[in-house]
Amino acid sequence: MFFSIYIIILVAIIVGYMIFTNRKVIGFLRQLEDERKTVRELAVLNDIASLINKDLDEKSIIETIVDKSKELIKSEISALLLIEKGKVTGFYTSIGEASQCKTEPVGIISRVIKEGIPIRSNNIRELEGFKGFLENQPVDIKSILIVPVLLR
């Protein structure tokens, strides 16, 4: 009888230790995944920053930035809108040339520029200030992340 109680207590201690160890391992795995994500993000940002030191033409640099930003946030499509003095001077996308673009930022993009804050939404059509897409829009955009980057 005494031996049975001893075995039960020993098994309970071992199971408790295994559960405690398992939780620690899961915590370490989550931390490792977070660190991998950070390293990946820093690598992409480093790639973009290294473009400054290369002798590339503007179009190549912008295309690389568009592709790397798409990779960074794991999106299907990315775009870069260049605006100078309130007028669009260039529009680049990860799906090819963007031949048509509004000449002045309106709606959501205008709001991002004026307020200087990013906008993120899983349903672009519900955003205040959404003005719609061009008639011949090549893709159906549902979610969006717009981040203003000011160059001085």
Side-chain angles (χ1 to χ4, degrees), residues 49-69:
S50 70
L51 293 173
I52 296 170
N53 297 324
K54 293 185 178 179
D55 288 332
L56 298 174
D57 62 293
E58 182 180 307
K59 185 176 178 183
S60 297
I61 292 172
I62 290 172
E63 287 173 354
T64 303
I65 290 172
V66 169
D67 290 338
K68 292 293 182 177
S69 63

Side-chain angles (χ1 to χ4, degrees), residues 91-104:
F91 184 51
Y92 303 86
T93 71
S94 60
I95 59 172
E97 257 186 68
S99 58
Q100 291 185 346
C101 184
K102 298 172 182 161
T103 56
E104 289 184 30

Side-chain angles (χ1 to χ4, degrees), residues 21-140:
T21 304
N22 188 36
R23 287 183 181 160
K24 284 182 82 172
V25 168
I26 289 172
F28 288 140
L29 290 174
R30 286 183 183 146
Q31 184 179 1
L32 179 63
E33 185 60 34
D34 289 345
E35 289 176 4
R36 283 184 182 158
K37 180 182 175 189
T38 300
V39 167
R40 183 185 65 80
E41 291 170 349
L42 290 172
V44 170
L45 292 173
N46 187 49
D47 289 347
I48 292 172
S50 70
L51 293 173
I52 296 170
N53 297 324
K54 293 185 178 179
D55 288 332
L56 298 174
D57 62 293
E58 182 180 307
K59 185 176 178 183
S60 297
I61 292 172
I62 290 172
E63 287 173 354
T64 303
I65 290 172
V66 169
D67 290 338
K68 292 293 182 177
S69 63
K70 180 177 120 179
E71 179 184 330
L72 180 65
I73 60 173
K74 296 181 181 178
S75 67
E76 295 175 26
I77 301 168
S78 64
L80 179 66
L81 184 65
L82 301 177
I83 301 170
E84 189 173 331
K85 297 180 183 173
K87 298 285 184 191
V88 174
T89 59
F91 184 51
Y92 303 86
T93 71
S94 60
I95 59 172
E97 257 186 68
S99 58
Q100 291 185 346
C101 184
K102 298 172 182 161
T103 56
E104 289 184 30
V106 296
I108 299 168
I109 294 173
S110 176
R111 194 167 108 206
V112 169
I113 294 167
K114 287 177 185 169
E115 296 174 8
I117 57 170
I119 291 179
R120 179 180 182 179
S121 174
N122 289 328
N123 188 348
I124 189 171
R125 287 166 179 79
E126 292 179 359
L127 280 175
E128 181 183 332
F130 176 67
K131 301 284 187 185
F133 295 114
L134 297 172
E135 291 177 18
N136 58 352
Q137 182 80 17
V139 293
D140 184 28

Side-chain angles (χ1 to χ4, degrees), residues 3-32:
F3 185 70
S4 297
I5 293 173
Y6 178 72
I7 295 292
I8 292 172
I9 292 172
L10 185 60
V11 168
I13 290 171
I14 291 171
V15 168
Y17 179 74
M18 290 173 61
I19 291 171
F20 173 75
T21 304
N22 188 36
R23 287 183 181 160
K24 284 182 82 172
V25 168
I26 289 172
F28 288 140
L29 290 174
R30 286 183 183 146
Q31 184 179 1
L32 179 63

